Amino acid sequence: MTQHAPLRLPATLVPVIQALEQILEDVLVVGGWAHRLHRAHPLAGAFDEAPVQTTDCDIAFGLKAPAPQGLDLLLRFGREGFDFEHTGTEFQESGLFRSRADPTFTVQLLVPRRGSGTTRAGEAIRTRHLGGVPVEVLRGLDLLEIEPWRASWAVSSHKRLDLSICHPVPFVLGKLLLTCMPNRAIQHRAKDLIYVLDTIRLFADHEDALLRAVPTLAARVGRTQRREIRAAHEETLRPESEVVQRALPLLDELRGARPRLAAQVVRACREGFAPILEALAVGQD
């Protein structure tokens, strides 16, 4: 879905997008910043609640084509005020870009796992090199690539750039799956649930139209992913689940007062997911 009227890109993201301008056709904004940009989506409703705070920006690559030869991300991000920081080990190379102006703000580059995700020796492929830097290979990014929302954003008074943002429906499915990852810290899984709740509320008045904008959803979500989505739906969306119980005090902290009891949070999420699961035919395979 393409937005024709230019939107104002948040100032925090401008240097990130300018650093990636050479390969912007192959870039997808995912994670918490995608959720913040969703508020400008043409189907989004009024939503005055404070957004979940995030200090990192997740950028996925690999939508259309390999990176062009000669791409130097160290140089391009360096010109925009970022330094590359190695965060891996001697056995596993990885890293991120950190803003010199605001050291709490980082950019994480990701690529989807393709095929088996292993080498011929059977070892997991965890990073790839792109533009001179190691980029994390992540399972599940293929879900977020489905029917991205593409919009024109003003990065200055005289410059506009087209940018792809993860569509809200694959976004909530991806966040729901993250709530069940046992190796993911519980506070992050609780934030994932708040992203789910807030996205459902943001598009509550136009959910049918939102689903029509993702016509390939059922065809592109495989049987294994549908089973995982169903399992996450049943495991997380219970009033007594650990994720729901940890999300409530986070909502308190974020919004100043607890807006819902556990049962109300679960009911809102389940009602919002009902048409999505129906569109996916979850439970019918």
Side-chain angles (χ1 to χ4, degrees), residues 138-139 174-186 189 192 232 235-236 243:
L138 199 62
R139 179 180 181 269
K175 285 297 184 183
L176 179 66
L177 290 173
L178 286 176
T179 65
C180 288
M181 288 185 64
N183 59 343
R184 186 168 171 82
I186 184 60
R189 292 159 59 197
D192 294 329
E235 179 180 337
T236 296
V243 174

Side-chain angles (χ1 to χ4, degrees), residues 174-229:
K175 285 297 184 183
L176 179 66
L177 290 173
L178 286 176
T179 65
C180 288
M181 288 185 64
N183 59 343
R184 186 168 171 82
I186 184 60
Q187 65 268 26
H188 295 313
R189 292 159 59 197
K191 286 178 68 174
D192 294 329
L193 181 62
I194 296 175
Y195 279 125
V196 168
L197 176 65
D198 284 357
T199 304
I200 286 171
R201 293 173 63 198
L202 182 63
F203 293 97
D205 293 337
H206 301 285
E207 190 167 11
D208 289 344
L210 197 67
L211 279 167
R212 288 196 296 271
V214 217
T216 63
L217 184 68
R220 293 182 62 181
V221 177
R223 182 173 297 178
T224 299
Q225 276 186 323
R226 289 199 297 271
R227 284 198 295 265
E228 291 173 345
I229 289 166

Side-chain angles (χ1 to χ4, degrees), residues 32 35-36 39 50-54 191 194-195 198 254-255:
H35 176 70
R36 295 186 73 162
R39 294 185 178 218
V52 179
Q53 295 300 310
T54 179
K191 286 178 68 174
I194 296 175
Y195 279 125
D198 284 357
L254 184 64
R255 308 273 156 80

Side-chain angles (χ1 to χ4, degrees), residues 47-244:
F47 193 72
D48 297 328
E49 303 280 13
V52 179
Q53 295 300 310
T54 179
T55 58
D56 63 307
C57 178
D58 295 324
I59 300 288
F61 293 90
L63 271 67
K64 296 182 179 179
Q69 289 189 350
L71 176 67
D72 188 337
L73 290 177
L74 285 173
L75 175 64
R76 295 187 67 87
F77 270 93
R79 287 174 175 169
E80 297 295 337
F82 290 85
D83 292 320
F84 187 76
E85 183 177 300
H86 289 275
T87 58
T89 67
E90 60 179 310
F91 305 106
Q92 182 57 60
E93 190 178 19
S94 61
L96 49 78
F97 286 98
R98 187 177 298 278
S99 169
R100 291 193 289 269
D102 176 8
T104 66
F105 180 65
T106 60
V107 180
Q108 181 76 55
L109 306 181
L110 310 166
V111 291
R113 190 182 75 179
R114 305 295 191 193
S116 67
T118 60
T119 65
R120 291 182 180 178
E123 298 176 347
I125 300 173
R126 302 189 186 279
T127 58
R128 280 178 46 199
H129 274 75
L130 177 71
V133 297
V135 178
E136 184 178 355
V137 175
L138 199 62
R139 179 180 181 269
L141 276 183
D142 55 331
L143 175 65
L144 303 184
E145 293 176 346
I146 298 174
E147 303 283 355
W149 167 45
R150 192 158 180 83
S152 178
W153 299 84
V155 296
S156 69
S157 59
H158 59 278
K159 185 176 182 180
R160 301 172 184 175
L161 293 173
D162 289 342
L163 179 64
S164 294
I165 298 98
C166 173
H167 189 280
V169 173
F171 175 82
V172 295
L173 289 173
K175 285 297 184 183
L176 179 66
L177 290 173
L178 286 176
T179 65
C180 288
M181 288 185 64
N183 59 343
R184 186 168 171 82
I186 184 60
Q187 65 268 26
H188 295 313
R189 292 159 59 197
K191 286 178 68 174
D192 294 329
L193 181 62
I194 296 175
Y195 279 125
V196 168
L197 176 65
D198 284 357
T199 304
I200 286 171
R201 293 173 63 198
L202 182 63
F203 293 97
D205 293 337
H206 301 285
E207 190 167 11
D208 289 344
L210 197 67
L211 279 167
R212 288 196 296 271
V214 217
T216 63
L217 184 68
R220 293 182 62 181
V221 177
R223 182 173 297 178
T224 299
Q225 276 186 323
R226 289 199 297 271
R227 284 198 295 265
E228 291 173 345
I229 289 166
R230 179 175 60 228
H233 183 269
E234 295 306 313
E235 179 180 337
T236 296
L237 299 184
R238 299 175 292 115
E240 67 276 15
S241 80
E242 183 183 14
V243 174
V244 170

